[in-house]
Amino acid sequence: PKEIQFYIFDGKDDASDYKYLSSVLPHVQYFCGDMDKINDGLERVITKMIDEVGRKITEAGYINIKDYNKANPDKKLPYTYIVIDELQSLMNHFIETDQKEEGARFRSFLSTMVSKLPYTGIRFILFPHRIVNDIISKNTYSLVSCRAVVRQTNVSELKNAVEVTEKSFPYKLAQVGDMALKINEIAGG
């Protein structure tokens, strides 16, 4: 917990596998299972990352959490992982309940966290199930440096997720456990 923290958002509420984990793992700082409260939880995380973590890093004269932690081994700041499951269901919920403003607010929060807050140590584990602009905007998605696709036989879905063509990636992810990874830091992606 001193090195890594999790904030978990999963609209399945009591049916979420994460709910139990959030009650027993000291790494989990927050769990939200109510789709109508996810934006408020994300706003609290953003505020904390800017006002507490970001301020501490910049006031100490560092550019990012890595530099800060290297210079302050006895006062390291934890990396913060935002886990958001059921992104497609969440976006559908906003549409079905006529909460277009909340959908736009969510997309704005996601964009802010992905584009402006990585220096604070914020990282993501997102489960969109399908990578389309309606769920994660292309501008936000293009900033995600590590992507995984599991058991996907649809060539266009695979192309969208990890930016490959059938010619450059001639594999079918048809079996349980088959996975394609795109990590910008390894072999140029």
Side-chain angles (χ1 to χ4, degrees):
K2 291 179 182 179
E3 295 179 15
I4 188 171
Q5 298 176 345
F6 292 93
Y7 289 78
I8 302 173
F9 301 87
D10 183 1
K12 294 188 298 285
D13 207 11
D14 290 337
S16 171
D17 295 331
Y18 299 107
K19 185 162 186 172
Y20 172 73
L21 290 175
S22 69
S23 68
V24 296
L25 291 178
H27 300 78
V28 179
Q29 303 299 303
Y30 180 78
F31 171 80
C32 179
D34 184 340
M35 287 191 191
D36 291 322
K37 295 180 180 175
I38 286 176
N39 278 340
D40 293 335
L42 289 173
E43 187 171 35
R44 283 194 296 272
V45 173
I46 290 170
T47 300
K48 176 186 177 185
M49 297 309 288
I50 293 170
D51 292 349
E52 294 176 26
V53 179
R55 182 174 293 145
K56 188 175 271 191
I57 291 168
T58 56
E59 285 179 356
Y62 298 99
I63 295 173
N64 58 46
I65 192 172
K66 183 179 177 183
D67 294 340
Y68 177 92
N69 285 347
K70 186 176 180 180
N72 298 282
D74 296 332
K75 295 185 282 179
K76 285 184 175 183
L77 297 170
Y79 281 82
T80 300
Y81 279 81
I82 307 297
V83 178
I84 306 176
D85 199 358
E86 299 299 334
L87 277 175
Q88 186 167 354
S89 296
L90 178 62
M91 295 313 288
N92 288 342
H93 170 76
F94 291 142
I95 292 167
E96 292 165 3
T97 58
D98 198 29
Q99 296 184 64
K100 293 178 184 165
E101 301 84 21
E102 288 300 304
R105 186 174 169 221
F106 173 80
R107 290 168 65 109
S108 175
F109 287 157
L110 195 59
S111 176
T112 295
M113 290 185 292
V114 168
S115 65
K116 297 179 182 175
L117 297 179
Y119 81 99
T120 65
I122 202 165
R123 304 292 187 261
F124 297 91
I125 301 173
L126 305 173
F127 297 95
H129 299 288
R130 290 185 64 230
I131 299 172
V132 293
N133 197 51
D134 294 342
I135 297 170
I136 301 175
S137 74
K138 185 72 172 167
N139 290 340
T140 299
Y141 180 71
S142 66
L143 297 173
V144 177
S145 64
C146 178
R147 306 173 197 166
V149 178
V150 180
R151 198 172 181 190
Q152 178 59 261
T153 57
N154 183 317
V155 174
S156 67
E157 294 286 340
L158 187 61
K159 178 183 177 186
N160 287 339
V162 290
E163 299 175 331
V164 295
T165 63
E166 194 169 6
K167 183 178 179 181
S168 67
F169 189 83
Y171 311 101
K172 302 292 182 210
L173 306 177
Q175 304 299 318
V176 172
D178 284 354
M179 178 184 290
L181 291 172
K182 180 183 189 297
I183 303 172
N184 289 348
E185 291 80 14
I186 298 176

